[in-house]
Structures are given as structure tokens and as C-alpha cells.
């Protein structure tokens, strides 16, 4: 039973900011690369951002690059997604995901390669 819990979603106007948090079990957090994905109604789940186990390496989808920042706090077993300059196109359910990896520097960007998922948190950006 792997537990991932996202918080921080909500309703925000275009141009605003939100900060999502994902808290994981200690074992999952310490052994896993972690990522954020999002899924809008009728669309496929898409990669947003990821952080390696160490947090030193991060990656972003082109659509959010320069606006979103992913980070992790190992002491708190928490992954964050700071979202700035939000657009209506960012509206989706945002999911936290984890995949165990041996390398501390790597991560995946395909959703099918992630093993554990949170319940999701709704982000709605109004125009």
C-alpha cells in the first residue's frame, strides 16, 4: 500500500499562481523519482514535470517550461509544483506519481512507466 496525497489545487484566475504538494510514504519517497502529470476531460494524461530522487535533476513539458517549477523536500517526503502565470489551458486534474529507481539522477516522462499514483487534485484556471 503506497500512499501519495496531493493538495493545493483550486480555482484561480488566469495569470495567477498555485502551489501543489504531494506527500509520500517515506519508503516511496526515498526510493523513487517523482513527477506531476495532468489530465483534462477527454484527453490523455500528459507529463508536466519530474524530479529525480536527489532533486538535483528536473524536467518539464514544453508547455509549462518557464512557468512551473518542480522541487522536492526530502526531509518532509514532499514533492512540490509551483505554478505561475497560469493559463486556462492548464486546467486539469493534477496527479502526483512515483516510480522506484536505483539511480538518483533519473526520471521518466511517460505515465505508463510510473508505478504509484495519488488521487489527483483539481486545478481550474478561469479566463
Amino acid at each position: 500500500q503506497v500512499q501519495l496525497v496531493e493538495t493545493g489545487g483550486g480555482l484561480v484566475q488566469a495569470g495567477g499562481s498555485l502551489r501543489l504538494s504531494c506527500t509520500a510514504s517515506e519508503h516511496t519517497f526515498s526510493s523513487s523519482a517523482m513527477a506531476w502529470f495532468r489530465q483534462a476531460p477527454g484527453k490523455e494524461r500528459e507529463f508536466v514535470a519530474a524530479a529525480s530522487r536527489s532533486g538535483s535533476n528536473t524536467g518539464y513539458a514544453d508547455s509549462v517550461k518557464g512557468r512551473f517549477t518542480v522541487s522536492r523536500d526530502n526531509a518532509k517526503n514532499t514533492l512540490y509544483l509551483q505554478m505561475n502565470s497560469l493559463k486556462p489551458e492548464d486546467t486539469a486534474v493534477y496527479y502526483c506519481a512515483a516510480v522506484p529507481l536505483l539511480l538518483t539522477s533519473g526520471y521518466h516522462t511517460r505515465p505508463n512507466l510510473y508505478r504509484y499514483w495519488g488521487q489527483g487534485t483539481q486545478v481550474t484556471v478561469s479566463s
Side-chain angles (χ1 to χ4, degrees):
Q1 197 88 2
V2 177
Q3 203 86 18
L4 299 175
V5 180
E6 304 99 331
T7 59
L11 175 65
V12 65
Q13 294 184 33
S17 298
L18 285 173
R19 192 186 197 194
L20 306 183
S21 298
C22 171
T23 300
S25 67
E26 185 173 350
H27 180 266
T28 299
F29 195 89
S30 64
S31 64
S32 299
M34 301 191 70
W36 293 98
F37 291 83
R38 66 187 183 187
Q39 188 167 24
K43 298 183 178 180
E44 293 184 345
R45 190 165 297 189
E46 66 173 345
F47 171 76
V48 177
S52 64
R53 286 176 57 186
S54 67
S56 61
N57 293 327
T58 57
Y60 301 90
D62 288 342
S63 59
V64 306
K65 202 168 297 182
R67 299 188 297 121
F68 291 10
T69 303
V70 64
S71 61
R72 62 194 296 165
D73 186 337
N74 290 6
K76 296 182 178 180
N77 299 331
T78 301
L79 180 76
Y80 302 99
L81 184 67
Q82 178 66 48
M83 305 185 294
N84 299 325
S85 301
L86 283 162
K87 305 174 181 179
E89 303 89 85
D90 296 317
T91 295
V93 176
Y94 283 69
Y95 296 92
C96 175
V99 58
L101 291 175
L102 293 177
L103 296 176
T104 60
S105 59
Y107 56 82
H108 294 304
T109 60
R110 295 177 60 188
N112 62 301
L113 296 179
Y114 281 81
R115 189 177 186 92
Y116 307 110
W117 294 84
Q119 82 290 344
T121 185
Q122 176 71 46
V123 172
T124 302
V125 184
S126 64
S127 59

